[in-house]
Amino acid sequence: MKQPVLKGKLSLLILCVLFFVLPLALNSRSWVDLFITIVVNMVGAVALRLIVISGNLSFAQGAFMGVGAYTAGMLAVYLNVPIWLSIPAGAIMATIVGLITGWPFARLKSVYFSMGTMFMGQALMLMISAWPLAGGALGLQRIPSLTSALSGVADVLHLKGYQACYYLIFLLALFCLVIMYRMEHCRIGTTLRALAQSEEVAASIGVNPTFYRLLAVGTSCFCMGLIGGVQSHYLTTISYSSYGMNTTLWIIMYMMIGGTGKFVGPLYGAIVISIVQGIANLLTSLSGSSNNESFVAFAHWLGANSAYTPFLTAAVLLVVAYLLPGGLVGIPDTIRANRARRAEKKEAAEIAKGGSK
Amino acid sequence: MQIVINALVLGIMYILAALGFAFIFNMLGTINLGHGALYMVGAYLCYYLCAAAGINNWIAMIISAAVLAVVGLLLERVMFRLFLDNFDRIVMISVGIITICQTIANLLTGSKALVIPSYANGLTTIFGMSISNERLVTFGVGLLLLLATLYVVNYTALGRQMEAVAQDRLGAALQGINTNRVSAAVCAIGVGLAAVAGCFMGAYLGLSSSMGDTMNLRILMLVMLAGAGSMNGIIITGTVMGFLDAICQMAFAGNAGSAVPIIIIVILLLIKPKGFFGHDA
């Protein structure tokens, strides 16, 4: 039963190398910022997919990211907890909240689970927004910055501050992704898929559905909390509105656009949509240091019209929804299916022609 | 006493907006996350018909409801009928619609505070209290539409067909009911009602690009709280929701006013996750 080590993992490896090398090569803050966004979204989408393979769609992912971010931020702001403790604390807090809130919802199915988690997430974020210690409507400010905490490491490795931050986030994200990849490709992943097929059958052969569902939710929340915590230290100012319904919906969209069929799907979805959403910002800030006139003009035009970029993302969404049943990762399958259908039609037409002769 | 009036007005608007969502939830078994966005589009359309084209705002409201009803028809054709058993696709398309509507609203509004012109001016004194005519008219029209919808649901052929499709789509089709036509009619009525609610709420609370989100959350909560297949449940939960919102906005300052009702609803939903009045789907 020994499989080739690289089978099916080549694209993951290429992505990994790209995300390691590119921020080093593209030595500018705006590029690195874009890469950080992509990596954060990747973790969000993959963490959501872990719940989705057990047959439920959670609408509370953004809120758990927020719990992680606020826990890490508030520990650092009010108790002066060092960064290397506050970030894991955020992850653990998100896990605890996820498990406590996930437990009553674990028995719900499909739409009821989605709606329950959606209200839960909204309630969590509104609670934070109404809490004066958490900064209220203004958000939490003056969180100790990751850049200054990593300045020593950055000096030793001859990296810029933001690059050091990127590599920390990258390593944490890689850690999350490896955990989730291993989880999906071992017995736990199979069990979760079995639960999605039929909870009764799975329970009848001795699987504890609640335990496995909570395991998926807990792991997912841990990853969300971890990445949220590190992001709060990177941004230094966080607001509850950036962890609300919109964020959650977009995390769901990254996953769905990429395709839920494979592990790499959400990664592609996060890359494509994050680039579409961030391209105007990126080009505008790049154009400041560029000498190419037409590029500068193009970047300015794009920046002036950046209010229209949501239309572009909506267009991507609709195209994927109507034309690509398997998401981006399912494009080869879709093409193959279309070709097969066309060939079948042709054959049928030829047979019909032959019959009429 | 003013709180009671506000609560009743809010409640009836929530119910109106939620009816369409509940129809779709009951009959098609899926949720339309874009319902709040359509409610917002109704309000914006009404505003621009009034303010830009100078049409009387009652006529503007009817036009906007009619346009949105057509949108509902189209939506059923291009979304629900195609992807009836595919929740993922419906969510994707809904988010696409939400994004487009919100972006347009943002581009139109910017940071301006738009309010639909008032439907009725002046005050009326009842039992020694003065109540603005606006509230009375809103409540009256809302109640009228609600009663009309209840009549359609309970006493007409369409209502009976709806119940049949909700119970068993295939069985209804076998009995000779054109299920697609029934769902199309239901989507049109539902989205049209949401547009009317949007027109009134746009005069009551003003327009903003986030009004759809706020309403969407309310709609989802009160439909879930009522449970699948329950019309009377929606009326009860809608009224409760209206009272909760009106009281909490008075009692708590700032964001806590919107947080407390939602937390109460979440706790209620934890007690009975499939709703209080519906059948177990």
PDB file of all heavy atoms in Angstrom, chain A residues 41 44-45 48 52 57-62 114 117-118 245-260 266 317, chain B residues 33 87-88 91-92 95:
ATOM      1  N   ASN A  41      -6.231  34.291   4.318  1.00  0.00           N
ATOM      2  CA  ASN A  41      -7.462  33.794   3.713  1.00  0.00           C
ATOM      3  C   ASN A  41      -7.388  32.310   3.419  1.00  0.00           C
ATOM      4  O   ASN A  41      -8.381  31.594   3.529  1.00  0.00           O
ATOM      5  CB  ASN A  41      -7.759  34.561   2.425  1.00  0.00           C
ATOM      6  CG  ASN A  41      -8.129  35.991   2.718  1.00  0.00           C
ATOM      7  OD1 ASN A  41      -8.505  36.305   3.840  1.00  0.00           O
ATOM      8  ND2 ASN A  41      -8.001  36.843   1.733  1.00  0.00           N
ATOM      9  N   GLY A  44      -8.113  30.453   6.504  1.00  0.00           N
ATOM     10  CA  GLY A  44      -9.543  30.555   6.784  1.00  0.00           C
ATOM     11  C   GLY A  44     -10.350  29.590   5.932  1.00  0.00           C
ATOM     12  O   GLY A  44     -11.187  28.846   6.441  1.00  0.00           O
ATOM     13  N   ALA A  45     -10.044  29.567   4.632  1.00  0.00           N
ATOM     14  CA  ALA A  45     -10.830  28.732   3.722  1.00  0.00           C
ATOM     15  C   ALA A  45     -10.608  27.252   4.013  1.00  0.00           C
ATOM     16  O   ALA A  45     -11.557  26.466   4.041  1.00  0.00           O
ATOM     17  CB  ALA A  45     -10.459  29.066   2.277  1.00  0.00           C
ATOM     18  N   LEU A  48     -12.325  26.208   7.179  1.00  0.00           N
ATOM     19  CA  LEU A  48     -13.767  26.036   6.971  1.00  0.00           C
ATOM     20  C   LEU A  48     -14.051  24.709   6.285  1.00  0.00           C
ATOM     21  O   LEU A  48     -14.997  24.004   6.630  1.00  0.00           O
ATOM     22  CB  LEU A  48     -14.298  27.198   6.125  1.00  0.00           C
ATOM     23  CG  LEU A  48     -15.765  27.093   5.742  1.00  0.00           C
ATOM     24  CD1 LEU A  48     -16.628  27.049   6.983  1.00  0.00           C
ATOM     25  CD2 LEU A  48     -16.165  28.253   4.880  1.00  0.00           C
ATOM     26  N   VAL A  52     -16.691  21.567   6.583  1.00  0.00           N
ATOM     27  CA  VAL A  52     -17.578  21.273   5.467  1.00  0.00           C
ATOM     28  C   VAL A  52     -17.515  19.804   5.076  1.00  0.00           C
ATOM     29  O   VAL A  52     -18.528  19.216   4.704  1.00  0.00           O
ATOM     30  CB  VAL A  52     -17.245  22.192   4.273  1.00  0.00           C
ATOM     31  CG1 VAL A  52     -17.928  21.709   3.017  1.00  0.00           C
ATOM     32  CG2 VAL A  52     -17.686  23.601   4.583  1.00  0.00           C
ATOM     33  N   LEU A  57     -22.090  23.429   6.836  1.00  0.00           N
ATOM     34  CA  LEU A  57     -21.447  24.674   6.419  1.00  0.00           C
ATOM     35  C   LEU A  57     -21.532  25.663   7.568  1.00  0.00           C
ATOM     36  O   LEU A  57     -22.620  26.056   7.969  1.00  0.00           O
ATOM     37  CB  LEU A  57     -22.152  25.222   5.173  1.00  0.00           C
ATOM     38  CG  LEU A  57     -21.623  26.517   4.597  1.00  0.00           C
ATOM     39  CD1 LEU A  57     -20.153  26.384   4.276  1.00  0.00           C
ATOM     40  CD2 LEU A  57     -22.381  26.879   3.347  1.00  0.00           C
ATOM     41  N   SER A  58     -20.375  26.029   8.117  1.00  0.00           N
ATOM     42  CA  SER A  58     -20.380  26.942   9.265  1.00  0.00           C
ATOM     43  C   SER A  58     -20.327  28.387   8.794  1.00  0.00           C
ATOM     44  O   SER A  58     -19.584  28.727   7.889  1.00  0.00           O
ATOM     45  CB  SER A  58     -19.172  26.652  10.151  1.00  0.00           C
ATOM     46  OG  SER A  58     -18.925  27.742  10.990  1.00  0.00           O
ATOM     47  N   PHE A  59     -21.148  29.237   9.422  1.00  0.00           N
ATOM     48  CA  PHE A  59     -21.168  30.656   9.088  1.00  0.00           C
ATOM     49  C   PHE A  59     -20.549  31.489  10.194  1.00  0.00           C
ATOM     50  O   PHE A  59     -20.882  32.648  10.341  1.00  0.00           O
ATOM     51  CB  PHE A  59     -22.602  31.131   8.839  1.00  0.00           C
ATOM     52  CG  PHE A  59     -23.083  30.937   7.445  1.00  0.00           C
ATOM     53  CD1 PHE A  59     -23.409  29.683   6.990  1.00  0.00           C
ATOM     54  CD2 PHE A  59     -23.219  32.002   6.582  1.00  0.00           C
ATOM     55  CE1 PHE A  59     -23.867  29.493   5.701  1.00  0.00           C
ATOM     56  CE2 PHE A  59     -23.678  31.820   5.287  1.00  0.00           C
ATOM     57  CZ  PHE A  59     -23.997  30.562   4.847  1.00  0.00           C
ATOM     58  N   ALA A  60     -19.681  30.900  11.020  1.00  0.00           N
ATOM     59  CA  ALA A  60     -19.148  31.660  12.147  1.00  0.00           C
ATOM     60  C   ALA A  60     -17.636  31.787  12.096  1.00  0.00           C
ATOM     61  O   ALA A  60     -17.016  32.170  13.072  1.00  0.00           O
ATOM     62  CB  ALA A  60     -19.573  31.008  13.462  1.00  0.00           C
ATOM     63  N   GLN A  61     -17.031  31.472  10.933  1.00  0.00           N
ATOM     64  CA  GLN A  61     -15.566  31.431  10.891  1.00  0.00           C
ATOM     65  C   GLN A  61     -14.935  32.783  11.197  1.00  0.00           C
ATOM     66  O   GLN A  61     -13.970  32.870  11.940  1.00  0.00           O
ATOM     67  CB  GLN A  61     -15.107  30.956   9.519  1.00  0.00           C
ATOM     68  CG  GLN A  61     -15.476  29.527   9.247  1.00  0.00           C
ATOM     69  CD  GLN A  61     -14.794  28.586  10.193  1.00  0.00           C
ATOM     70  OE1 GLN A  61     -13.581  28.557  10.276  1.00  0.00           O
ATOM     71  NE2 GLN A  61     -15.552  27.827  10.941  1.00  0.00           N
ATOM     72  N   GLY A  62     -15.486  33.824  10.605  1.00  0.00           N
ATOM     73  CA  GLY A  62     -14.926  35.156  10.834  1.00  0.00           C
ATOM     74  C   GLY A  62     -14.940  35.512  12.301  1.00  0.00           C
ATOM     75  O   GLY A  62     -13.990  36.096  12.834  1.00  0.00           O
ATOM     76  N   SER A 114     -26.092  25.944   9.718  1.00  0.00           N
ATOM     77  CA  SER A 114     -25.550  27.168   9.128  1.00  0.00           C
ATOM     78  C   SER A 114     -26.129  28.401   9.801  1.00  0.00           C
ATOM     79  O   SER A 114     -25.394  29.318  10.179  1.00  0.00           O
ATOM     80  CB  SER A 114     -25.879  27.220   7.637  1.00  0.00           C
ATOM     81  OG  SER A 114     -25.359  26.097   6.996  1.00  0.00           O
ATOM     82  N   THR A 117     -24.970  28.809  13.519  1.00  0.00           N
ATOM     83  CA  THR A 117     -23.616  29.328  13.644  1.00  0.00           C
ATOM     84  C   THR A 117     -23.553  30.785  13.196  1.00  0.00           C
ATOM     85  O   THR A 117     -22.795  31.569  13.754  1.00  0.00           O
ATOM     86  CB  THR A 117     -22.640  28.499  12.806  1.00  0.00           C
ATOM     87  OG1 THR A 117     -23.188  28.315  11.510  1.00  0.00           O
ATOM     88  CG2 THR A 117     -22.399  27.154  13.434  1.00  0.00           C
ATOM     89  N   MET A 118     -24.396  31.140  12.212  1.00  0.00           N
ATOM     90  CA  MET A 118     -24.370  32.530  11.752  1.00  0.00           C
ATOM     91  C   MET A 118     -24.788  33.474  12.881  1.00  0.00           C
ATOM     92  O   MET A 118     -24.093  34.463  13.166  1.00  0.00           O
ATOM     93  CB  MET A 118     -25.305  32.709  10.565  1.00  0.00           C
ATOM     94  CG  MET A 118     -25.342  34.121  10.039  1.00  0.00           C
ATOM     95  SD  MET A 118     -26.736  34.423   8.972  1.00  0.00           S
ATOM     96  CE  MET A 118     -26.119  33.833   7.430  1.00  0.00           C
ATOM     97  N   MET A 245     -20.055  39.516   9.390  1.00  0.00           N
ATOM     98  CA  MET A 245     -20.699  38.659   8.406  1.00  0.00           C
ATOM     99  C   MET A 245     -19.972  38.675   7.062  1.00  0.00           C
ATOM    100  O   MET A 245     -19.820  37.641   6.419  1.00  0.00           O
ATOM    101  CB  MET A 245     -22.133  39.186   8.228  1.00  0.00           C
ATOM    102  CG  MET A 245     -23.088  38.211   7.647  1.00  0.00           C
ATOM    103  SD  MET A 245     -23.171  36.757   8.646  1.00  0.00           S
ATOM    104  CE  MET A 245     -23.015  35.561   7.361  1.00  0.00           C
ATOM    105  N   ASN A 246     -19.501  39.848   6.646  1.00  0.00           N
ATOM    106  CA  ASN A 246     -18.866  39.932   5.336  1.00  0.00           C
ATOM    107  C   ASN A 246     -17.638  39.047   5.248  1.00  0.00           C
ATOM    108  O   ASN A 246     -17.437  38.329   4.289  1.00  0.00           O
ATOM    109  CB  ASN A 246     -18.471  41.385   5.046  1.00  0.00           C
ATOM    110  CG  ASN A 246     -19.505  42.056   4.187  1.00  0.00           C
ATOM    111  OD1 ASN A 246     -20.249  41.368   3.494  1.00  0.00           O
ATOM    112  ND2 ASN A 246     -19.580  43.358   4.241  1.00  0.00           N
ATOM    113  N   THR A 247     -16.791  39.125   6.297  1.00  0.00           N
ATOM    114  CA  THR A 247     -15.585  38.305   6.305  1.00  0.00           C
ATOM    115  C   THR A 247     -15.954  36.834   6.211  1.00  0.00           C
ATOM    116  O   THR A 247     -15.378  36.079   5.419  1.00  0.00           O
ATOM    117  CB  THR A 247     -14.818  38.552   7.608  1.00  0.00           C
ATOM    118  OG1 THR A 247     -14.809  39.935   7.863  1.00  0.00           O
ATOM    119  CG2 THR A 247     -13.425  38.017   7.521  1.00  0.00           C
ATOM    120  N   THR A 248     -16.944  36.432   7.026  1.00  0.00           N
ATOM    121  CA  THR A 248     -17.353  35.035   7.019  1.00  0.00           C
ATOM    122  C   THR A 248     -17.824  34.617   5.638  1.00  0.00           C
ATOM    123  O   THR A 248     -17.420  33.572   5.119  1.00  0.00           O
ATOM    124  CB  THR A 248     -18.487  34.844   8.030  1.00  0.00           C
ATOM    125  OG1 THR A 248     -18.066  35.372   9.269  1.00  0.00           O
ATOM    126  CG2 THR A 248     -18.833  33.400   8.178  1.00  0.00           C
ATOM    127  N   LEU A 249     -18.674  35.464   5.040  1.00  0.00           N
ATOM    128  CA  LEU A 249     -19.190  35.122   3.713  1.00  0.00           C
ATOM    129  C   LEU A 249     -18.048  34.992   2.721  1.00  0.00           C
ATOM    130  O   LEU A 249     -18.035  34.087   1.893  1.00  0.00           O
ATOM    131  CB  LEU A 249     -20.175  36.192   3.234  1.00  0.00           C
ATOM    132  CG  LEU A 249     -21.586  36.088   3.781  1.00  0.00           C
ATOM    133  CD1 LEU A 249     -22.449  37.182   3.194  1.00  0.00           C
ATOM    134  CD2 LEU A 249     -22.189  34.738   3.467  1.00  0.00           C
ATOM    135  N   TRP A 250     -17.063  35.890   2.805  1.00  0.00           N
ATOM    136  CA  TRP A 250     -15.969  35.804   1.835  1.00  0.00           C
ATOM    137  C   TRP A 250     -15.108  34.593   2.079  1.00  0.00           C
ATOM    138  O   TRP A 250     -14.610  33.984   1.136  1.00  0.00           O
ATOM    139  CB  TRP A 250     -15.153  37.103   1.802  1.00  0.00           C
ATOM    140  CG  TRP A 250     -15.856  38.099   0.963  1.00  0.00           C
ATOM    141  CD1 TRP A 250     -16.476  39.230   1.391  1.00  0.00           C
ATOM    142  CD2 TRP A 250     -16.100  38.025  -0.448  1.00  0.00           C
ATOM    143  NE1 TRP A 250     -17.082  39.856   0.331  1.00  0.00           N
ATOM    144  CE2 TRP A 250     -16.868  39.150  -0.796  1.00  0.00           C
ATOM    145  CE3 TRP A 250     -15.746  37.126  -1.432  1.00  0.00           C
ATOM    146  CZ2 TRP A 250     -17.288  39.389  -2.102  1.00  0.00           C
ATOM    147  CZ3 TRP A 250     -16.163  37.365  -2.729  1.00  0.00           C
ATOM    148  CH2 TRP A 250     -16.918  38.487  -3.057  1.00  0.00           C
ATOM    149  N   ILE A 251     -14.928  34.196   3.351  1.00  0.00           N
ATOM    150  CA  ILE A 251     -14.176  32.958   3.605  1.00  0.00           C
ATOM    151  C   ILE A 251     -14.904  31.790   2.944  1.00  0.00           C
ATOM    152  O   ILE A 251     -14.296  30.936   2.302  1.00  0.00           O
ATOM    153  CB  ILE A 251     -14.006  32.730   5.120  1.00  0.00           C
ATOM    154  CG1 ILE A 251     -13.038  33.755   5.690  1.00  0.00           C
ATOM    155  CG2 ILE A 251     -13.490  31.330   5.389  1.00  0.00           C
ATOM    156  CD1 ILE A 251     -12.907  33.713   7.180  1.00  0.00           C
ATOM    157  N   ILE A 252     -16.243  31.793   3.077  1.00  0.00           N
ATOM    158  CA  ILE A 252     -17.028  30.736   2.430  1.00  0.00           C
ATOM    159  C   ILE A 252     -16.828  30.791   0.916  1.00  0.00           C
ATOM    160  O   ILE A 252     -16.684  29.773   0.247  1.00  0.00           O
ATOM    161  CB  ILE A 252     -18.510  30.894   2.802  1.00  0.00           C
ATOM    162  CG1 ILE A 252     -18.688  30.679   4.301  1.00  0.00           C
ATOM    163  CG2 ILE A 252     -19.373  29.913   2.042  1.00  0.00           C
ATOM    164  CD1 ILE A 252     -20.066  31.004   4.802  1.00  0.00           C
ATOM    165  N   MET A 253     -16.777  32.024   0.397  1.00  0.00           N
ATOM    166  CA  MET A 253     -16.620  32.163  -1.054  1.00  0.00           C
ATOM    167  C   MET A 253     -15.258  31.667  -1.524  1.00  0.00           C
ATOM    168  O   MET A 253     -15.161  31.025  -2.562  1.00  0.00           O
ATOM    169  CB  MET A 253     -16.791  33.632  -1.459  1.00  0.00           C
ATOM    170  CG  MET A 253     -18.206  34.132  -1.359  1.00  0.00           C
ATOM    171  SD  MET A 253     -19.348  33.080  -2.237  1.00  0.00           S
ATOM    172  CE  MET A 253     -20.267  32.401  -0.907  1.00  0.00           C
ATOM    173  N   TYR A 254     -14.191  31.975  -0.756  1.00  0.00           N
ATOM    174  CA  TYR A 254     -12.866  31.469  -1.158  1.00  0.00           C
ATOM    175  C   TYR A 254     -12.929  29.959  -1.317  1.00  0.00           C
ATOM    176  O   TYR A 254     -12.430  29.391  -2.281  1.00  0.00           O
ATOM    177  CB  TYR A 254     -11.798  31.785  -0.106  1.00  0.00           C
ATOM    178  CG  TYR A 254     -11.601  33.235   0.198  1.00  0.00           C
ATOM    179  CD1 TYR A 254     -11.433  33.665   1.494  1.00  0.00           C
ATOM    180  CD2 TYR A 254     -11.566  34.173  -0.816  1.00  0.00           C
ATOM    181  CE1 TYR A 254     -11.257  34.994   1.789  1.00  0.00           C
ATOM    182  CE2 TYR A 254     -11.388  35.505  -0.533  1.00  0.00           C
ATOM    183  CZ  TYR A 254     -11.234  35.912   0.778  1.00  0.00           C
ATOM    184  OH  TYR A 254     -11.068  37.226   1.062  1.00  0.00           O
ATOM    185  N   MET A 255     -13.577  29.323  -0.326  1.00  0.00           N
ATOM    186  CA  MET A 255     -13.634  27.874  -0.332  1.00  0.00           C
ATOM    187  C   MET A 255     -14.452  27.382  -1.519  1.00  0.00           C
ATOM    188  O   MET A 255     -14.046  26.472  -2.234  1.00  0.00           O
ATOM    189  CB  MET A 255     -14.247  27.401   0.980  1.00  0.00           C
ATOM    190  CG  MET A 255     -14.283  25.924   1.113  1.00  0.00           C
ATOM    191  SD  MET A 255     -15.380  25.467   2.436  1.00  0.00           S
ATOM    192  CE  MET A 255     -16.960  25.880   1.729  1.00  0.00           C
ATOM    193  N   MET A 256     -15.611  28.016  -1.749  1.00  0.00           N
ATOM    194  CA  MET A 256     -16.494  27.512  -2.797  1.00  0.00           C
ATOM    195  C   MET A 256     -15.940  27.789  -4.188  1.00  0.00           C
ATOM    196  O   MET A 256     -16.090  26.978  -5.091  1.00  0.00           O
ATOM    197  CB  MET A 256     -17.867  28.151  -2.666  1.00  0.00           C
ATOM    198  CG  MET A 256     -18.647  27.577  -1.524  1.00  0.00           C
ATOM    199  SD  MET A 256     -20.242  28.337  -1.448  1.00  0.00           S
ATOM    200  CE  MET A 256     -20.946  27.388  -0.109  1.00  0.00           C
ATOM    201  N   ILE A 257     -15.310  28.963  -4.363  1.00  0.00           N
ATOM    202  CA  ILE A 257     -14.752  29.273  -5.672  1.00  0.00           C
ATOM    203  C   ILE A 257     -13.639  28.303  -6.006  1.00  0.00           C
ATOM    204  O   ILE A 257     -13.543  27.786  -7.112  1.00  0.00           O
ATOM    205  CB  ILE A 257     -14.252  30.728  -5.713  1.00  0.00           C
ATOM    206  CG1 ILE A 257     -15.438  31.666  -5.763  1.00  0.00           C
ATOM    207  CG2 ILE A 257     -13.351  30.961  -6.908  1.00  0.00           C
ATOM    208  CD1 ILE A 257     -15.065  33.096  -5.665  1.00  0.00           C
ATOM    209  N   GLY A 258     -12.802  28.010  -5.007  1.00  0.00           N
ATOM    210  CA  GLY A 258     -11.731  27.056  -5.243  1.00  0.00           C
ATOM    211  C   GLY A 258     -12.274  25.669  -5.502  1.00  0.00           C
ATOM    212  O   GLY A 258     -11.710  24.901  -6.269  1.00  0.00           O
ATOM    213  N   GLY A 259     -13.362  25.337  -4.842  1.00  0.00           N
ATOM    214  CA  GLY A 259     -13.916  23.991  -4.964  1.00  0.00           C
ATOM    215  C   GLY A 259     -13.657  23.203  -3.696  1.00  0.00           C
ATOM    216  O   GLY A 259     -12.560  23.217  -3.150  1.00  0.00           O
ATOM    217  N   THR A 260     -14.704  22.550  -3.208  1.00  0.00           N
ATOM    218  CA  THR A 260     -14.560  21.843  -1.932  1.00  0.00           C
ATOM    219  C   THR A 260     -14.078  20.417  -2.121  1.00  0.00           C
ATOM    220  O   THR A 260     -13.833  19.715  -1.160  1.00  0.00           O
ATOM    221  CB  THR A 260     -15.913  21.808  -1.204  1.00  0.00           C
ATOM    222  OG1 THR A 260     -16.911  21.398  -2.128  1.00  0.00           O
ATOM    223  CG2 THR A 260     -16.263  23.153  -0.641  1.00  0.00           C
ATOM    224  N   PRO A 266      -9.582  25.306  -1.805  1.00  0.00           N
ATOM    225  CA  PRO A 266      -9.691  26.581  -1.092  1.00  0.00           C
ATOM    226  C   PRO A 266      -8.440  27.440  -1.235  1.00  0.00           C
ATOM    227  O   PRO A 266      -8.530  28.666  -1.248  1.00  0.00           O
ATOM    228  CB  PRO A 266      -9.872  26.143   0.363  1.00  0.00           C
ATOM    229  CG  PRO A 266     -10.410  24.785   0.286  1.00  0.00           C
ATOM    230  CD  PRO A 266      -9.850  24.167  -0.927  1.00  0.00           C
ATOM    231  N   LEU A 317     -17.553  35.169  -8.994  1.00  0.00           N
ATOM    232  CA  LEU A 317     -18.472  34.307  -8.246  1.00  0.00           C
ATOM    233  C   LEU A 317     -19.537  33.713  -9.152  1.00  0.00           C
ATOM    234  O   LEU A 317     -19.782  32.510  -9.146  1.00  0.00           O
ATOM    235  CB  LEU A 317     -19.189  35.154  -7.197  1.00  0.00           C
ATOM    236  CG  LEU A 317     -18.673  35.129  -5.796  1.00  0.00           C
ATOM    237  CD1 LEU A 317     -19.474  36.080  -4.961  1.00  0.00           C
ATOM    238  CD2 LEU A 317     -18.800  33.742  -5.268  1.00  0.00           C
TER     239      LEU A 317
ATOM    240  N   LEU B  33     -30.071  34.155   0.957  1.00  0.00           N
ATOM    241  CA  LEU B  33     -29.319  35.154   1.724  1.00  0.00           C
ATOM    242  C   LEU B  33     -29.429  36.536   1.100  1.00  0.00           C
ATOM    243  O   LEU B  33     -29.155  37.533   1.745  1.00  0.00           O
ATOM    244  CB  LEU B  33     -27.847  34.756   1.793  1.00  0.00           C
ATOM    245  CG  LEU B  33     -27.517  33.579   2.697  1.00  0.00           C
ATOM    246  CD1 LEU B  33     -26.046  33.255   2.600  1.00  0.00           C
ATOM    247  CD2 LEU B  33     -27.873  33.890   4.129  1.00  0.00           C
ATOM    248  N   PHE B  87     -27.185  23.719  -2.217  1.00  0.00           N
ATOM    249  CA  PHE B  87     -27.117  24.854  -1.307  1.00  0.00           C
ATOM    250  C   PHE B  87     -25.898  25.733  -1.595  1.00  0.00           C
ATOM    251  O   PHE B  87     -25.989  26.964  -1.591  1.00  0.00           O
ATOM    252  CB  PHE B  87     -27.068  24.312   0.127  1.00  0.00           C
ATOM    253  CG  PHE B  87     -27.112  25.358   1.193  1.00  0.00           C
ATOM    254  CD1 PHE B  87     -28.073  26.348   1.170  1.00  0.00           C
ATOM    255  CD2 PHE B  87     -26.195  25.349   2.228  1.00  0.00           C
ATOM    256  CE1 PHE B  87     -28.122  27.305   2.154  1.00  0.00           C
ATOM    257  CE2 PHE B  87     -26.242  26.312   3.215  1.00  0.00           C
ATOM    258  CZ  PHE B  87     -27.203  27.286   3.176  1.00  0.00           C
ATOM    259  N   ASP B  88     -24.755  25.107  -1.898  1.00  0.00           N
ATOM    260  CA  ASP B  88     -23.514  25.848  -2.142  1.00  0.00           C
ATOM    261  C   ASP B  88     -23.673  26.870  -3.260  1.00  0.00           C
ATOM    262  O   ASP B  88     -23.297  28.032  -3.119  1.00  0.00           O
ATOM    263  CB  ASP B  88     -22.386  24.894  -2.537  1.00  0.00           C
ATOM    264  CG  ASP B  88     -21.894  24.103  -1.357  1.00  0.00           C
ATOM    265  OD1 ASP B  88     -22.574  24.168  -0.311  1.00  0.00           O
ATOM    266  OD2 ASP B  88     -20.873  23.435  -1.471  1.00  0.00           O
ATOM    267  N   VAL B  91     -25.838  29.792  -2.274  1.00  0.00           N
ATOM    268  CA  VAL B  91     -25.114  30.743  -1.418  1.00  0.00           C
ATOM    269  C   VAL B  91     -24.179  31.593  -2.260  1.00  0.00           C
ATOM    270  O   VAL B  91     -24.103  32.809  -2.093  1.00  0.00           O
ATOM    271  CB  VAL B  91     -24.339  29.992  -0.312  1.00  0.00           C
ATOM    272  CG1 VAL B  91     -23.437  30.942   0.441  1.00  0.00           C
ATOM    273  CG2 VAL B  91     -25.295  29.326   0.642  1.00  0.00           C
ATOM    274  N   MET B  92     -23.492  30.953  -3.207  1.00  0.00           N
ATOM    275  CA  MET B  92     -22.546  31.711  -4.035  1.00  0.00           C
ATOM    276  C   MET B  92     -23.259  32.803  -4.817  1.00  0.00           C
ATOM    277  O   MET B  92     -22.832  33.957  -4.850  1.00  0.00           O
ATOM    278  CB  MET B  92     -21.852  30.775  -5.025  1.00  0.00           C
ATOM    279  CG  MET B  92     -20.677  30.066  -4.453  1.00  0.00           C
ATOM    280  SD  MET B  92     -20.074  28.860  -5.607  1.00  0.00           S
ATOM    281  CE  MET B  92     -18.834  29.801  -6.408  1.00  0.00           C
ATOM    282  N   VAL B  95     -24.427  35.597  -2.591  1.00  0.00           N
ATOM    283  CA  VAL B  95     -23.358  36.522  -2.202  1.00  0.00           C
ATOM    284  C   VAL B  95     -22.975  37.415  -3.369  1.00  0.00           C
ATOM    285  O   VAL B  95     -22.715  38.610  -3.187  1.00  0.00           O
ATOM    286  CB  VAL B  95     -22.133  35.745  -1.663  1.00  0.00           C
ATOM    287  CG1 VAL B  95     -20.982  36.679  -1.396  1.00  0.00           C
ATOM    288  CG2 VAL B  95     -22.502  35.016  -0.411  1.00  0.00           C
TER     289      VAL B  95
END
